[in-house]
Amino acid sequence: DGGITQSPKYLFRKEGQNVTLSCEQNLNHDAMYWYRQDPGQGLRLIYYSQIVNDFQKGDIAEGYSVSREKKESFPLTVTSAQKNPTAFYLCASAGGDGYTFGSGTRLTVV
Amino acid sequence: KNQVEQSPQSLIILEGKNCTLQCNYTVSPFSNLRWYKQDTGRGPVSLTIMTFSENTKSNGRYTATLDADTKQSSLHITASQLSDSASYICVVRDSGGYQKVTFGTGTKLQVIP
């Protein structure tokens, strides 16, 4: 079945560490997105990529980095520069009929 | 600034009852509006999509309406079930592409027996 897969489902990070969240899709979508979701707030765009080897900053890109070496993959790295990384992270890809979301990764700083 | 406001913020209803969720937006130029259902700890799943020319669209017990003149949409849930307990998110896209979408903060619905 076509879909978008995020891993891991839960991730714990020590302060000062970088961590990478995985996002893979087999929908043949060109565009992929990373969103952050905090309680009581709407989804906020971190980074997006409309084509392989190209990506753009969203509204809250500071402290995050991405790569898009393959059409299917759009990993997100949460760096130590992100001061409040504890959140629910959603990856999405977009085709003609709209977004397909992954199941999310919950990142907690310990 | 594009905004999407949803109401109520949270709602508790008895199983079997109907309910209506509201979405008001200021996004312009408007392209389409989607309602998503998000179970706790999961990614959102699309329920309906509506374009400018559509007034109503149904998906099983879910019926969405759109008034493009007043920039309002509603999601009506009929004969609620316990599995309807989730957050419902209104997402409005302008004509600038999928990066140009604005998310509402959602309505958290709890259906109780």
Side-chain angles (χ1 to χ4, degrees):
Chain A
D1 288 338
I4 184 165
T5 302
Q6 288 186 243
S7 63
K9 188 173 177 63
Y10 299 97
L11 187 58
F12 296 90
R13 189 195 95 170
K14 291 182 180 179
E15 289 194 16
Q17 280 185 336
N18 293 351
V19 291
T20 298
L21 284 59
S22 171
C23 179
E24 304 277 335
Q25 55 101 358
N26 60 5
L27 299 165
N28 201 33
H29 286 167
D30 286 316
M32 297 186 72
Y33 306 81
W34 274 104
Y35 290 92
R36 171 179 172 142
Q37 189 175 36
D38 294 285
Q41 297 192 40
L43 276 72
R44 293 183 291 168
L45 181 64
I46 304 172
Y47 267 98
Y48 65 95
S49 168
Q50 293 184 290
I51 198 169
V52 174
N53 292 323
D54 182 65
F55 49 83
Q56 304 294 330
K57 292 182 179 180
D59 300 320
I60 55 165
E62 185 176 352
Y64 300 98
S65 66
V66 293
S67 63
R68 187 83 187 279
E69 297 176 1
K70 298 186 301 181
K71 187 176 186 177
E72 300 80 15
S73 179
F74 191 41
L76 173 74
T77 297
V78 184
T79 74
S80 57
Q82 171 50 240
K83 298 306 179 187
N84 185 24
T86 295
F88 189 58
Y89 291 86
L90 281 165
C91 179
S93 66
D97 58 349
Y99 281 118
T100 299
F101 285 93
S103 57
T105 293
R106 181 162 298 281
L107 172 63
T108 303
V109 173
V110 297
Chain B
K1 181 181 176 182
N2 289 338
Q3 287 187 312
V4 176
E5 295 182 352
Q6 291 187 243
S7 62
Q9 188 172 14
S10 62
L11 181 63
I12 301 174
I13 62 172
L14 291 173
E15 185 179 12
K17 298 296 185 181
N18 303 336
C19 67
T20 300
L21 314 180
Q22 298 290 342
C23 173
N24 297 338
Y25 62 92
T26 61
V27 176
S28 181
F30 174 84
S31 178
N32 63 51
L33 182 148
R34 284 182 172 269
W35 283 94
Y36 285 84
K37 177 185 179 186
Q38 185 178 20
D39 293 311
T40 300
R42 306 286 296 176
V45 175
S46 180
L47 294 175
T48 65
I49 178 171
M50 302 185 74
T51 58
F52 184 86
S53 60
E54 295 174 304
N55 300 117
T56 184
K57 186 169 283 189
S58 292
N59 178 4
R61 294 180 296 101
Y62 299 103
T63 299
T65 65
L66 174 67
D67 186 334
D69 292 331
T70 62
K71 298 186 176 181
Q72 296 180 325
S73 176
S74 65
L75 181 69
H76 186 75
I77 303 174
T78 304
S80 61
Q81 300 176 359
L82 298 179
S83 59
D84 292 331
S85 296
S87 290
Y88 291 84
I89 303 172
C90 177
V91 182
V92 183
R93 175 188 166 188
D94 72 18
S95 58
Y98 278 107
Q99 67 275 18
K100 302 293 185 184
V101 295
T102 305
F103 289 84
T105 55
T107 292
K108 190 171 179 65
L109 173 66
Q110 186 177 357
V111 180
I112 59 176

